[in-house]
Amino acid sequence: MSGSAPAAPPREPQAPPEVPARREKTGIEREAERLTPVEFDRGKAPYRRVLPGVLLAPADTVVAMARKSSLWPLTFGLACCAIEMIATYMSHHDLDRFGIMPWPSPRQADVMIVAGTVTKKMAPSVKLLYEQMPNPKWVIAMGACAINGGPYTRYDRVLQGVDKIIPVDVYVPGCPPRPEALLDGFLALQRKIMAERSAVG
Amino acid sequence: MAVEHDLETMEIPVNMGPQHPSTHGVFRMVLKVDGERVVELVPHIGYLHRGAEKLCENMDYRQGIGIHDRTEYLAPFHAELALVIAVEKLMGLEVPERAEQIRIIMAELNRITSHMMFVGAFSADAGVFGTAFTYAFREREYIQDIFEEVTGDRTMYGYFRPGGLAWDVPDDFVERVRAVLEHTRQGIDDIDNLLTKNEVFMARTRGIGAMSAEEAIDWGLSGPMLRACGVRHDLRKAQPYCIYDRFDFDVPVGQYGDVYDRYLVRLEEMRQSVRIVEQALEGLRDGPIMPKKMRRRLRTPPGEIYQGVEAPRGEYGVYIVSDGTDKPYRMKIRSACFANLMGLRDMVVGHFVADAVVILGSIDMVLGEVDR
Amino acid sequence: MDHLDEFLENPWVNGILGLLAVLVLIILVVLALIYIERKFLARIQMRLGPMRTGPYGLLQSLADAIKLLAKEDLRPARADRWVFELAPYAVFVPGFLAFVAIPFTRNWAVSFLELGLFYVVAVTGLSFVGLLMAGWASDNKYALLGGMRAAAQLISYEIPLVLALVAVSMVAGTLNLREMVEAQGRVPLVVWQPLAFFIFMAAALSELERQPFDIPTAESEVVGGPYIEYSGIRWSMFFLTSYANLFLYSLLGAAVFLGGWDWFLGRDAGPWLQALWMAGKTTFLILVFMWARGTFPRLRIDQLMSLCWKVLLPLAFLQIFLSGLVLVHGWPDWALLLTSGAGLLAAAYIVWAAVRPRPLAVREAVASGSVA
Amino acid sequence: MSSEERLEKFRPGRDGHEARKALRVPPPRGSVFDLFKEALPDVPMEAYQAVKDVVIEVSRGDVIRVLRTAKEDPRLDFRWLRCLSGVDYMDKGLEVVYHLHSYTRNHDVTVKVRCPQGDPRVPSATAVWRGADWYEREAAEMFGLVFEGHPNLVPLLLPEDMTDHHPLRKDNPLAEIEEWQGDRLAGRAEEGAGGEEEG
């Protein structure tokens, strides 16, 4: 459950019988092979206008590396998990090592950490916040409540998982997850960003 | 000012929350501001209402401990304590001496972690860029390490049971706690040095959000909010539960009931908690931690009980109506912040927007407990 | 070669090349500053700061910049389109223009203006327009509050800033920044004018919107203020400008108060040594600004205003008056230090007195209703 | 026969609260109930000793008078409304429970008022303690009680337009766990965890 969402392409198993015969490919080459034509009208990111199409593959890699190294989460805690989320920002665990620093406004955020129970009263706000974030954006569902309702799942005012209203990229299990688990979730998200580098506009 | 009549001014409503860095969760308040001054405030809660009471009524008492942990998620030991004491009194259980001592050690250490969280979040509300927050969390982490060694979890403990404790503490518990207490004492002094005499901090907090004792009682405030107003009421002294009557500690009381006093009261309470823990460590003897004969299913006799404990934020109470089964017929959670938040409007109106944030921070609310 | 030299001698070409060099320098310095600030604040907060992006996180700012460029550029549906999109430029251009007159070493500057100090002050005074535009156009109440606060704050603090600089330029006897630096060949002006230096630092902190004066962009109150609705490249322009301004005011302080490249190396040192020495002094001032950010809470808007109009402004006039007195009578230099130091003590007393007794009156009135 | 022995005779289960009612232990002499009787000689009150507190049951018509006297009488001096809760006894009606505490005398009392299911009107205590405000709003939305004279009786924890849903009533069961995630939400099913089963 802690891995990426089902939408992520498989990373490691890559047709094992043929690979050993040839030179081991580097990650960039593998990605370049898998590169599909990118729709140019998707997204209005300036780099697409600046850099010509020939440079797209390396540019995508560079941009993806930049994105994964500078994930700014929205300052946004819902319930108990928020305490562990704050603890992860603090000195013992220090998310800033990974370039992750919280921003209060959704407009400047890349990641939304849904840390806690989403009630049906709160759900429209969560959805609105997600929609206010600029692309590309990711969601980490932190804790059992955000994943499926957790211990409160049987109460009818509680949303049974935040993935009913917004798409979730990484699920971090636990009640609440330890800070190390959240760090692992971020690392999983970084892997996912690198794996999907050609697909994200 | 004759010109004032000609100018057309407008009071604009400002919606703060449910996502706002200073609302500590999912609290929402709608301010009506005239320039920078707040003229009306309507609080909205319920964004974290997740049915703790209803779920407790469908669980047996031991399962309910987990729900209580998550209800008061900054002071889970106090929430557990309220529940287990209520069940013990319903059943007439005798708690062994060692269990009582360990309970008090845990509860008081938890009070320190909770107040540390308050200091950090409150200073962030007052505008410190995270420095006091990290200092406070350093102390929290050291104490949480002890909690983890004892209970197996960092935040949701589930350690108290009706009748005693789930299991005994590790062998080097006393030395570990003593070592951490040294550090904690230093950490409290660090925060004291960092904030208490800081001119900007004083300018931001003194005389802000003041409430008189009468008003505070009328709104039903409790805990440090009430004591900051000058009412010397502490359940640990007034109606001692566990074995608090054997301990020697002081109840700090504020004088003016403003935000600064609330901060000072909480700072002093941390020091008193250190004192209590030290005394409890002195008195810790080997012995059983559970009564000899405990039934596998805890059936309480029919009856009802209200049991409150002095949690870090105020009185955390549990009202249980038992119908003789192993599940409560009705479980009402009396939460401290629920009552403390009621007075928010009276405290804020007339102050500036920036003060509203600081006052809200001084309430030190836990939305899980407010909304349940 | 003659043609090339001739081409470079052309004032237009020379100017454009100089501007380009300054632009590149600003961007590089800002990237470095963001990294330094994150590391420095992290160290204050007992953290490590960026570690994973490049060795010791050195590429962190670069990653942030690329990410921000590749981010979607949102505009709220109900925003005022032109004002919203032009506001970042209105903030960025004045800050950039001010660098034209700043001397980096004895011979390095885009232009050595005769009225250099006047030009810098005049141009930086324009930047509030952009903030006001951003706050107004965003169709967001926090942004509106933040924009209004920014306008009020920046305009107010412009005055003590200018007056403090006027006082030192009186002592130096010139408005040309290069000559001001060279006038402090033996003793830097901060020694003769400590009060002016204090006013300059306070006002610069306020102009920079950094703690304890980060009121327009207060995270816990107005959630980023005027910048709240900006994303991607436009927001990064605001970000760039705020750090470029930090660099600008530090350069200005280093040149005007700390003796620039001159004191105590002497003006005959090589250009690289001069640049290094200037950079060292600038870094010192930058770290002081960052240190304030790491430790101070935030003032409130009314306290900010009264600090400006009731404390800094009269003291700045006092400084000018005292300097003028000393200069007119031709008293020795130590008289400058004596008078300015006395003024600094007066400032300290005023701040102390403002914090202490005033809230007490409020507190006593409230406390009269205490019971128990 | 001690109260424990009497309790043993009753079968635990759904009629447990009936059992408790049947074996009311009268409050001991010198308890706080005597003070109530002194202060309010003409009000009919029923009292019994619960596990910890003395419980006083009053009728709907008298409750505000009793509460006001409890607050203002110097012998009682219950200035703190500790807690206000509703209890649903199904066909036996709804109950509102006031827990009071006195700072100066350091004693507690529980006051109860009962109303039938079909007519859940109870006078509001906000006139006595302002702090009863949110408690009553919460009890109203959770149990469908109507507090007459309350200044602003809109739901507090539930959405404000939700006035017909009372979660804490016993006839309102817990929700079923939805096993398939993502299929309940129109239009977002393909973007959610699309058909993935979450344990």
Side-chain angles (χ1 to χ4, degrees):
Chain A
M1 294 296 154
S2 73
S4 43
R11 282 187 301 275
E12 287 309 314
Q14 274 281 46
E18 290 141 34
V19 173
R22 295 162 54 190
R23 184 177 61 88
E24 190 69 35
K25 286 182 175 173
T26 62
I28 291 178
E29 283 171 322
R30 264 209 309 275
E31 286 303 319
E33 263 186 12
R34 208 191 300 156
L35 203 66
T36 50
V38 178
E39 297 167 37
F40 273 79
D41 54 339
R42 275 190 66 199
K44 283 181 278 184
Y47 78 95
R48 287 198 184 282
R49 275 175 264 152
V50 175
L51 295 172
V54 182
L55 288 175
L56 258 181
D60 273 347
T61 309
V62 170
V63 168
M65 286 170 83
R67 279 177 181 159
K68 78 160 192 172
S69 320
S70 137
L71 290 167
W72 291 354
L74 185 59
T75 319
F76 176 43
L78 287 172
C80 347
C81 291
I83 306 300
E84 288 295 79
M85 187 179 76
I86 295 168
T88 321
Y89 288 122
M90 293 299 156
S91 25
H92 271 235
H93 303 280
D94 192 14
L95 275 178
D96 201 15
R97 285 181 297 147
F98 302 86
I100 296 163
M101 63 194 294
W103 284 95
S105 168
R107 302 284 188 197
Q108 291 121 35
D110 308 306
V111 193
M112 184 164 161
I113 308 175
V114 185
T117 320
V118 186
T119 59
K120 285 179 183 164
K121 192 171 178 182
M122 188 63 197
S125 306
V126 174
K127 199 172 167 186
L128 182 68
L129 283 171
Y130 178 76
E131 284 161 359
Q132 280 175 338
M133 282 162 57
N135 280 320
K137 50 191 171 185
W138 297 275
V139 176
I140 295 179
M142 182 185 178
C145 294
I147 292 172
N148 69 349
Y152 297 98
T153 188
R154 292 202 64 196
Y155 189 60
D156 59 350
R157 303 305 314 151
V158 171
L159 199 68
Q160 296 187 351
V162 73
D163 49 10
K164 304 210 161 160
I165 50 169
I166 54 176
V168 176
D169 292 276
V170 176
Y171 295 86
V172 182
C175 188
R178 299 174 57 86
E180 291 89 339
L182 183 59
L183 281 176
D184 185 54
F186 269 110
L187 295 180
L189 183 59
Q190 290 187 344
R191 287 197 297 274
K192 180 173 179 177
I193 291 169
M194 285 313 277
E196 286 180 349
R197 72 189 103 170
S198 56
V200 180
Chain B
M1 293 279 261
V3 192
E4 218 165 69
H5 301 287
D6 304 324
L7 286 173
E8 189 186 346
T9 60
M10 196 170 73
E11 293 169 352
I12 55 170
V14 176
N15 180 30
M16 266 197 186
Q19 182 267 337
H20 187 280
S22 70
T23 51
H24 300 237
V26 286
F27 178 71
R28 171 174 165 231
M29 54 186 182
V30 179
L31 307 174
K32 197 172 273 182
V33 294
D34 178 11
E36 286 271 342
R37 207 170 274 280
V38 180
V39 292
E40 181 60 53
L41 180 144
V42 183
H44 292 266
I45 61 172
Y47 291 92
L48 197 54
H49 173 62
R50 44 190 188 178
E53 296 171 4
K54 182 81 176 172
L55 289 167
C56 279
E57 287 164 20
N58 289 277
M59 292 176 172
D60 80 17
Y61 290 105
R62 289 188 185 116
Q63 288 173 317
I65 290 173
I67 296 290
H68 277 259
D69 277 341
R70 283 156 185 79
T71 299
E72 164 63 298
Y73 50 77
L74 279 179
F77 276 130
H78 291 270
E80 289 173 21
L81 199 56
L83 176 66
V84 297
I85 292 177
V87 176
E88 280 156 9
K89 287 199 172 152
L90 267 176
M91 296 177 65
L93 285 176
E94 279 289 327
V95 184
E97 168 78 14
R98 182 176 170 83
E100 295 273 33
Q101 298 274 12
I102 292 173
R103 276 182 185 182
I104 283 183
I105 293 172
M106 288 301 175
E108 292 305 320
L109 286 177
N110 201 338
R111 191 184 307 277
I112 295 173
T113 61
S114 173
H115 283 342
M116 281 291 176
M117 178 77 201
F118 159 77
V119 169
F122 179 60
S123 66
D125 285 339
V128 186
F129 188 78
T131 306
F133 219 145
T134 48
Y135 272 71
F137 256 76
R138 176 180 63 172
E139 309 309 322
R140 253 182 82 87
E141 291 282 342
Y142 285 128
I143 298 177
Q144 269 184 333
D145 284 347
I146 291 183
F147 289 163
E148 193 180 351
E149 281 166 30
V150 174
T151 68
D153 199 314
R154 280 167 52 88
T155 41
M156 300 298 156
Y157 307 120
Y159 180 56
F160 298 164
R161 295 282 188 277
L165 305 170
W167 47 77
D168 209 338
V169 291
D171 290 341
D172 60 345
F173 178 70
V174 176
E175 295 84 59
R176 286 278 290 121
V177 175
R178 285 230 168 90
V180 166
L181 277 189
E182 279 306 309
H183 208 284
T184 306
R185 205 176 286 122
Q186 180 61 42
I188 297 169
D189 288 345
D190 281 350
I191 285 172
D192 200 356
N193 293 335
L194 190 63
L195 287 178
T196 307
K197 297 284 182 203
N198 186 320
E199 275 78 10
V200 181
F201 184 74
M202 284 193 345
R204 280 305 299 281
T205 52
R206 291 177 83 168
I208 301 300
M211 199 170 220
S212 72
E214 273 81 12
E215 272 183 303
I217 292 171
D218 202 21
W219 281 116
L221 306 193
S222 56
M225 295 282 289
L226 181 67
R227 289 195 282 277
C229 298
V231 183
R232 196 178 293 276
H233 173 77
D234 189 324
L235 271 186
R236 291 175 293 175
K237 289 275 190 197
Q239 296 176 333
Y241 52 95
C242 281
I243 46 170
Y244 271 112
D245 43 352
R246 289 195 224 153
F247 290 91
D248 177 29
F249 62 97
D250 301 327
V251 180
V253 173
Q255 192 178 356
Y256 306 110
D258 58 3
V259 172
Y260 190 62
D261 275 357
R262 287 169 205 154
Y263 161 78
L264 288 181
V265 164
R266 287 187 170 109
L267 204 64
E268 185 57 35
E269 274 186 16
M270 281 197 268
R271 298 209 163 101
Q272 297 300 330
S273 288
V274 172
R275 268 180 78 189
I276 298 175
V277 173
E278 278 175 344
Q279 294 170 38
L281 286 176
E282 288 292 323
L284 193 60
R285 300 280 176 271
D286 282 347
I289 50 158
M290 276 294 241
K292 283 231 171 54
K293 224 177 70 182
M294 283 294 289
R295 261 183 263 162
R296 195 167 277 271
R297 289 183 66 184
L298 281 185
R299 280 216 192 93
T300 54
E304 63 173 77
I305 184 165
Y306 175 86
Q307 174 65 41
V309 298
E310 187 69 33
R313 266 155 286 278
E315 177 171 329
Y316 185 93
V318 171
Y319 172 55
I320 296 177
V321 179
S322 162
D323 58 355
T325 57
D326 56 347
K327 294 174 182 170
Y329 182 79
R330 167 87 169 108
M331 166 90 77
K332 162 84 183 176
I333 299 170
R334 190 267 180 209
S335 92
C337 299
F338 187 78
N340 290 357
L341 264 180
M342 265 190 269
L344 180 69
R345 190 195 159 279
D346 282 11
M347 285 185 245
V348 169
V349 167
H351 288 293
F352 290 92
V353 177
D355 293 333
V357 169
V358 173
I359 293 167
L360 192 63
S362 77
I363 293 177
D364 185 24
M365 60 185 173
V366 168
L367 261 302
E369 187 206 26
V370 174
D371 296 343
R372 283 153 293 158
Chain C
M1 287 310 282
D2 287 349
H3 288 292
L4 186 62
D5 277 349
E6 219 170 273
F7 181 66
L8 286 179
E9 288 296 313
N10 184 336
W12 283 99
V13 174
N14 199 337
I16 287 174
L17 283 180
L19 283 179
L20 278 178
V22 165
L23 187 63
V24 171
L25 179 76
I26 292 175
I27 290 174
L28 289 181
V29 166
V30 165
L31 288 183
L33 277 185
I34 294 171
Y35 171 75
I36 291 170
E37 169 146 54
R38 280 174 80 167
K39 276 294 203 189
F40 188 70
L41 282 179
R43 285 298 176 172
I44 286 181
Q45 298 171 359
M46 305 177 298
R47 295 186 288 121
L48 286 177
M51 287 298 281
R52 293 301 182 97
T53 319
Y56 295 96
L58 278 169
L59 298 177
Q60 185 60 53
S61 308
L62 196 65
D64 286 344
I66 295 176
K67 181 209 75 176
L68 282 170
L69 291 184
K71 200 96 173 128
E72 188 184 3
D73 187 17
L74 284 175
R75 178 164 51 81
R78 287 172 60 204
D80 190 334
R81 180 172 177 184
W82 286 105
V83 182
F84 185 83
E85 298 201 340
L86 284 178
Y89 301 97
V91 174
F92 177 70
V93 169
F96 169 64
L97 283 181
F99 279 93
V100 168
I102 296 283
F104 294 98
T105 67
R106 189 172 146 80
N107 298 314
W108 291 0
V110 179
S111 172
F112 291 102
L113 294 179
E114 224 18 74
L115 294 174
L117 189 62
F118 177 73
Y119 170 79
V120 170
V121 162
V123 169
T124 52
L126 283 177
S127 64
F128 82 92
V129 177
L131 293 179
L132 198 57
M133 282 163 74
W136 181 259
S138 292
D139 185 37
N140 184 312
K141 278 155 190 162
Y142 294 136
L144 184 64
L145 273 179
M148 293 298 170
R149 286 174 171 193
Q153 176 178 341
L154 295 194
I155 293 175
S156 307
Y157 274 83
E158 200 69 34
I159 299 167
L161 182 81
V162 172
L163 292 177
L165 290 174
V166 164
V168 276
S169 69
M170 277 165 65
V171 175
T174 174
L175 281 173
N176 186 330
L177 280 169
R178 178 156 67 171
E179 288 171 15
M180 280 185 80
V181 172
E182 290 179 351
Q184 348 177 8
R186 281 183 303 131
V187 185
L189 274 171
V190 62
V191 176
W192 300 139
Q193 301 273 286
L195 178 59
F197 183 66
F198 164 73
I199 296 171
F200 172 80
M201 287 300 275
L205 265 179
S206 176
E207 292 282 310
L208 291 169
E209 296 167 12
R210 297 175 77 80
Q211 266 94 350
F213 303 117
D214 64 331
I215 295 165
T217 56
E219 274 192 17
S220 65
E221 294 159 26
V222 291
V223 209
Y227 314 141
I228 185 171
E229 292 286 356
Y230 284 88
S231 65
I233 190 164
R234 282 174 214 286
W235 183 80
S236 55
M237 281 178 74
F238 282 120
F239 206 55
L240 184 100
T241 314
S242 80
Y243 280 89
N245 279 336
L246 174 64
F247 184 43
L248 174 73
Y249 281 104
S250 305
L251 274 174
L252 197 63
V256 172
F257 286 100
L258 300 185
W261 64 83
D262 213 354
W263 176 80
F264 53 79
L265 283 183
R267 64 203 57 173
D268 298 328
W272 291 104
L273 203 56
Q274 284 183 359
L276 195 69
W277 190 229
M278 186 77 177
K281 288 177 178 175
T282 312
T283 310
F284 169 72
L285 283 185
I286 286 174
L287 290 184
V288 169
F289 284 132
M290 288 179 180
W291 183 22
R293 180 164 186 208
T295 41
F296 274 118
R298 184 185 305 119
L299 277 172
R300 216 169 48 207
I301 185 79
D302 62 323
Q303 293 163 342
L304 176 91
M305 286 298 162
S306 43
L307 178 68
C308 175
W309 295 104
K310 293 181 191 162
V311 180
L312 292 185
L313 195 61
L315 283 176
F317 277 120
L318 181 72
Q319 174 73 80
I320 290 177
F321 174 73
L322 292 174
S323 300
L325 202 67
V326 173
L327 289 175
V328 164
H329 287 275
W331 290 338
D333 281 349
W334 54 262
L336 282 173
L337 172 63
L338 205 65
T339 50
S340 185
L344 191 64
L345 289 181
Y349 174 75
I350 291 172
V351 169
W352 180 84
V355 173
R356 297 289 161 145
R358 193 172 51 85
L360 272 176
V362 177
R363 289 152 62 97
E364 274 162 10
V366 167
S368 61
S370 292
V371 297
Chain D
M1 201 157 55
S2 73
S3 63
E4 282 80 18
E5 284 167 349
R6 283 196 281 183
L7 285 171
E8 286 299 319
K9 286 167 69 177
F10 283 90
R11 177 173 56 86
R14 276 196 54 195
D15 55 353
H17 54 269
E18 285 305 300
R20 174 180 53 81
K21 235 177 141 181
L23 44 89
R24 290 175 165 184
V25 185
R29 193 168 295 280
S31 72
V32 79
F33 181 55
D34 297 340
L35 299 173
F36 267 94
K37 269 194 295 193
E38 275 178 42
L40 293 159
D42 54 334
V43 175
M45 289 183 284
E46 268 188 85
Y48 58 92
Q49 176 74 40
V51 178
K52 226 174 124 207
D53 299 345
V54 175
V55 180
I56 299 174
E57 285 192 353
V58 294
S59 68
R60 276 195 276 179
D62 300 326
V63 63
I64 289 303
R65 205 179 138 209
V66 171
L67 292 177
R68 193 179 290 282
T69 316
K71 184 187 176 189
E72 285 165 6
D73 193 294
R75 286 165 294 185
L76 298 165
D77 199 28
F78 287 106
R79 292 180 48 197
W80 185 22
L81 175 66
R82 230 177 183 182
C83 182
L84 188 157
S85 30
V87 188
D88 177 19
Y89 285 112
M90 292 185 282
D91 46 344
K92 304 291 187 305
L94 295 165
E95 201 170 71
V96 182
V97 186
Y98 306 84
H99 290 96
L100 312 181
H101 176 76
S102 163
Y103 295 111
T104 46
R105 316 265 159 199
N106 199 8
H107 54 199
D108 296 319
V109 75
T110 307
V111 179
K112 286 186 169 187
V113 58
R114 172 94 49 125
C115 59
Q117 282 277 12
D119 180 28
R121 286 178 297 114
V122 177
S124 167
T126 43
V128 188
W129 295 277
R130 276 191 294 172
D133 186 343
W134 282 12
Y135 286 117
E136 288 186 352
R137 280 171 72 181
E138 190 202 347
E141 67 187 338
M142 292 294 162
F143 294 96
L145 288 160
V146 178
F147 289 94
E148 290 180 321
H150 191 285
N152 180 24
L153 200 65
V154 294
L156 181 69
L157 300 175
L158 303 178
E160 288 194 5
D161 51 353
M162 188 179 272
T163 48
D164 53 346
H165 180 81
H166 309 300
L168 284 190
R169 281 213 182 168
K170 288 288 172 186
D171 54 5
N172 188 10
L174 287 179
E176 286 306 310
I177 298 175
E178 300 168 22
E179 289 193 3
W180 295 92
Q181 304 235 327
D183 56 350
R184 287 291 179 90
L185 215 86
R188 298 304 289 236
E190 74 284 352
E191 277 192 51
E196 181 79 357
E197 188 178 349
E198 290 284 348

